[in-house]
């Protein structure tokens, strides 16, 4: 079993003993998402830490989007609950890249791929995505690449 999955399970047990409802609910949801991903496809498999980080990133993004939707609908209590869950999930994710770090990686990827102009965005993204995996949201990366290629 992966180290991250072990940590999630151990933290779930700890949060249950501490009667921390938000943390317990969030970790149960995260482990359920991991289990679902493990049995998805033709054969069941054990996820690596990198794959678990992808699942947790996806779940954190869902929480952020739900929080924004609830806030926009004037449902502050539900929005806060989603933000609380997102905060728990982010403890298990790698630190997010700052704008300066992301910009530097975009510049390096453009230089590495020799791309010029907005049409070369795919080439840059192919080089850049493995470097930022889990540390920056795809939309944010694409926006930075688009801005840099546009000049």
């Amino acid at each position: 079993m992966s180290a991250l999955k072990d940590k999630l399970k151990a933290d779930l047990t700890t949060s249950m003993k501490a009667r921390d409802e938000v943390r317990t609910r969030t970790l149960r949801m995260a482990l359920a998402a991991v289990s679902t991903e493990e049995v998805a496809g033709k054969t069941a498999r054990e996820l690596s830490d990198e794959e678990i980080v992808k699942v947790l990133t996806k779940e954190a993004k869902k929480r952020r989007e739900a929080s924004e939707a609830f806030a926009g609908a004037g449902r502050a209590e539900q929005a806060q609950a989603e933000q609380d869950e997102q905060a728990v999930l982010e403890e298990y994710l790698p630190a997010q890249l700052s704008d300066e770090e992301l910009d530097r990686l975009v510049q390096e990827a453009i230089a590495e791929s020799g791309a010029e102009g907005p049409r070369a965005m795919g080439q840059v993204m192919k080089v850049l995505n493995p470097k930022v995996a889990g540390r920056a949201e795809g939309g944010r990366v694409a926006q930075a690449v688009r801005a840099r290629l546009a000049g």
Side-chain angles (χ1 to χ4, degrees):
M1 192 180 309
S2 75
L4 184 54
K5 190 172 178 181
D6 283 341
K7 181 169 174 37
L8 287 169
K9 286 185 176 186
D11 289 353
L12 174 61
T13 303
T14 304
S15 70
M16 289 170 72
K17 288 178 181 176
R19 300 198 187 283
D20 183 346
E21 290 182 25
V22 172
R23 186 172 219 71
T24 301
R25 177 180 66 229
T26 304
L27 292 175
R28 279 185 175 151
M29 173 273 311
L31 285 166
V34 169
S35 296
T36 301
E37 188 66 28
E38 286 178 335
V39 298
K42 295 190 187 291
T43 58
R45 61 194 168 84
E46 190 77 24
L47 294 182
S48 67
D49 279 350
E50 295 82 35
E51 292 170 317
I52 292 175
V53 166
K54 286 181 183 177
V55 171
L56 294 179
T57 301
K58 195 180 343 176
E59 292 299 320
K61 182 179 179 186
K62 286 181 190 176
R63 299 298 164 280
R64 183 176 55 257
E65 291 171 350
S67 172
E68 291 168 2
F70 281 132
R75 299 174 70 181
E77 193 172 304
Q78 286 94 341
Q80 185 60 48
E82 295 291 339
Q83 288 172 357
D84 294 344
E85 288 182 8
Q86 180 186 352
V88 171
L89 289 172
E90 286 177 351
E91 293 174 21
Y92 298 94
L93 297 174
Q96 294 293 301
L97 292 171
S98 68
D99 290 339
E100 295 78 29
E101 292 170 318
L102 180 60
D103 196 43
R104 182 180 49 77
L105 287 172
V106 168
Q107 288 175 354
E108 290 172 7
I110 290 172
E112 188 177 324
S113 66
E116 291 182 18
R119 290 182 176 215
M121 186 167 170
Q123 296 169 330
V124 177
M125 292 298 283
K126 192 182 296 184
V127 171
L128 188 59
N129 275 334
K131 295 178 182 178
V132 299
R135 299 187 303 154
E137 190 178 305
R140 186 173 158 228
V141 174
Q143 183 180 8
V145 171
R146 211 175 287 118
R148 185 53 79 176
L149 287 175

